[in-house]
Amino acid sequence: PDFARAFEVGQLGGGGEAAAAARQAARAFLAEWGFVVFRGALGAGGCAKVRDDIYTQLEASHEGFRRGEVGTYGELDSKRYGLPKETVVATPAFVAARQAPGVRDAFAALLLSEEEIKEDVAAAANAAKARMPRLYVSQDRWCFYRPTEGAPSEWRTRPNVHLDVDPWSFCDNSALPDLKYSAHSDFRAEVTCVSRDVGGPHVQGVIALADSREEDGGTVVVPGFGAAFEKWAAALGPPEEHAKVGSPAGWAVRRPGGGGSFKFDGGDPLYALARRVPVREGDLMVWDQRCVHGSAPNHSTRPRLAMFLRCCRREGVPVANRKDRAMAVARAMVDGGCDLTKHVDSIGRELFGLEDAFTEIQTELS
């Protein structure tokens, strides 16, 4: 098949037996393979708006770049893996995508218990009862892979596989995200500063903004690695043995406060086990953070466009940090051209956590 097996996001919502069975099937697939794809998490209109936004940003940041004119794409740099310099993009199109109902339903199916979902369904049926806030959505960015067939070889990104967790602090539960959100880089630290038994399960995701076939480049995973993660981590030895960048045994990029990532050398056998996951426009691919993943280069005449995001349970952000996080999210949205009353809906108010600092946000932005 041209595309990976996917679970229809429209079948996940609701409190009936069919919806519960669909959620359980998605969870079981994730547990077995380390990843799962949800079909139609973001609609065609939402994808088109985010694509247009990406091209507008590229045209503004790279003089001479013009969408649809591949001859102008030489202005870009493949060393950045198609990523913008900004670590957080919070324009109206991206805000709308992060709060899309299909996105929330997909992550809820993986992160919430059936009892919690039943409570949410009951609250939705009762206009006088507000739904309990349970999840946060990340503040991240996008990527653009140039089409490379017939183009200079340097347009291709390098293959890579890695983990967005620090194996040692993840396993001993010492990666605690005590973040002040004084800089956008703290949102990146939030993704990688996770502990096994705090606020889990821990997952990451990416939305395809256009069909992404095998040859178009994009996300790869080592299927099933999550089941072997604990055994692999226990065999690593002390972190000091993985401090040198470029080590054949792999190397860690560690945060002072815990968390970080682990990079695999190009000669590691895991590269041969990595598999591309082709997905359709609007599909949300989610993977277990314990699953080795990365990206493969483009080998086609089509570009790859995608946006990264993850959801976590509210327990994953310490109560003491939630107000600072909410303020940082609100400022990023305003800087991105958003009107908080216009562009944030009821789903967004939960996922962005703005209620955590409602009074402060109103005071600062009034």
Side-chain angles (χ1 to χ4, degrees):
D2 291 335
F3 300 100
R5 177 188 175 185
F7 294 83
E8 296 289 342
V9 75
Q11 298 177 0
L12 301 174
E17 292 183 3
R23 292 190 292 266
Q24 178 55 38
R27 288 192 289 266
F29 193 94
L30 176 68
E32 180 176 2
W33 298 104
F35 75 95
V36 62
V37 177
F38 294 101
R39 177 67 33 80
L42 183 62
C47 289
K49 289 178 180 178
V50 178
R51 286 198 306 270
D52 180 69
D53 201 347
I54 290 172
Y55 281 122
T56 297
Q57 292 175 48
L58 286 168
E59 289 169 338
S61 60
H62 295 81
E63 186 176 357
F65 177 94
R66 293 186 295 277
R67 70 187 74 189
E69 298 182 25
V70 179
T72 68
Y73 292 2
E75 301 294 326
L76 307 183
D77 181 1
S78 292
K79 293 180 181 179
R80 295 191 56 82
Y81 286 93
L83 297 168
K85 293 181 179 179
E86 297 79 10
T87 54
V88 171
V89 177
T91 60
F94 278 81
V95 167
R98 290 180 186 126
Q99 65 186 7
V103 170
R104 205 269 181 192
D105 285 347
F107 279 109
L110 302 178
L111 301 179
L112 301 185
S113 69
E114 283 300 312
E115 186 61 33
E116 289 171 324
I117 291 173
K118 288 179 181 178
E119 291 175 0
D120 288 349
V121 171
N126 184 350
K129 186 176 181 181
R131 183 170 69 186
M132 178 76 69
R134 304 188 192 277
L135 301 174
Y136 286 120
V137 70
S138 63
Q139 303 301 300
D140 212 316
R141 49 189 170 173
W142 48 263
C143 74
F144 174 80
Y145 281 18
R146 292 175 286 187
T148 61
E149 186 173 306
S153 59
E154 59 265 23
W155 282 24
R156 292 195 177 100
T157 57
R158 289 185 296 106
N160 82 92
V161 294
H162 61 277
L163 285 162
D164 288 317
V165 297
D166 173 74
W168 300 275
S169 58
F170 180 87
C171 290
D172 68 15
N173 294 307
S174 64
L176 301 177
D178 185 18
L179 303 169
K180 303 304 180 187
Y181 298 95
S182 56
H184 284 176
S185 58
D186 280 354
F187 285 106
R188 178 59 189 167
E190 176 185 274
V191 173
T192 65
C193 192
V194 291
S195 291
R196 179 183 56 200
D197 300 329
V198 181
H202 301 291
V203 295
Q204 295 171 266
V206 60
I207 296 176
L209 302 171
D211 286 354
S212 178
R213 295 176 172 81
E214 177 83 24
E215 63 272 22
D216 296 333
T219 306
V220 300
V221 297
V222 177
F225 187 87
F229 176 86
E230 298 278 347
K231 185 176 180 180
W232 167 82
L236 279 175
E240 292 76 19
E241 294 181 4
H242 299 273
K244 184 179 180 181
V245 174
S247 168
W251 64 98
V253 181
R254 312 192 77 198
R255 290 186 63 252
S261 58
F262 191 92
K263 314 292 185 181
F264 294 91
D265 179 70
D268 194 292
L270 284 172
Y271 274 80
L273 299 176
R275 297 290 181 268
R276 269 281 289 125
V277 183
V279 288
R280 294 185 183 276
E281 177 185 304
D283 283 0
L284 167 64
M285 176 187 172
V286 180
W287 61 92
D288 186 323
Q289 274 192 249
R290 299 170 299 175
C291 188
V292 173
H293 64 281
S295 66
N298 178 289
H299 290 278
S300 77
T301 58
R302 298 176 295 272
R304 179 213 181 193
L305 295 100
M307 63 174 288
F308 301 101
L309 78 170
R310 72 188 284 267
C311 281
C312 68
R313 294 183 60 92
R314 282 177 63 88
E315 297 93 317
V317 177
V319 173
N321 303 133
R322 292 177 185 175
K323 186 173 292 187
D324 289 335
R325 186 186 192 277
M327 292 294 294
V329 171
R331 291 181 187 121
M333 289 180 178
V334 172
D335 290 344
C338 293
D339 179 331
L340 299 185
T341 59
K342 175 182 177 182
H343 292 115
V344 179
D345 62 18
S346 59
I347 296 175
R349 284 194 291 275
E350 174 201 11
L351 295 182
F352 300 127
L354 300 185
E355 300 295 331
D356 294 333
F358 180 80
T359 302
E360 292 81 356
I361 290 171
Q362 296 286 51
T363 300
E364 178 173 319
L365 301 181
S366 62

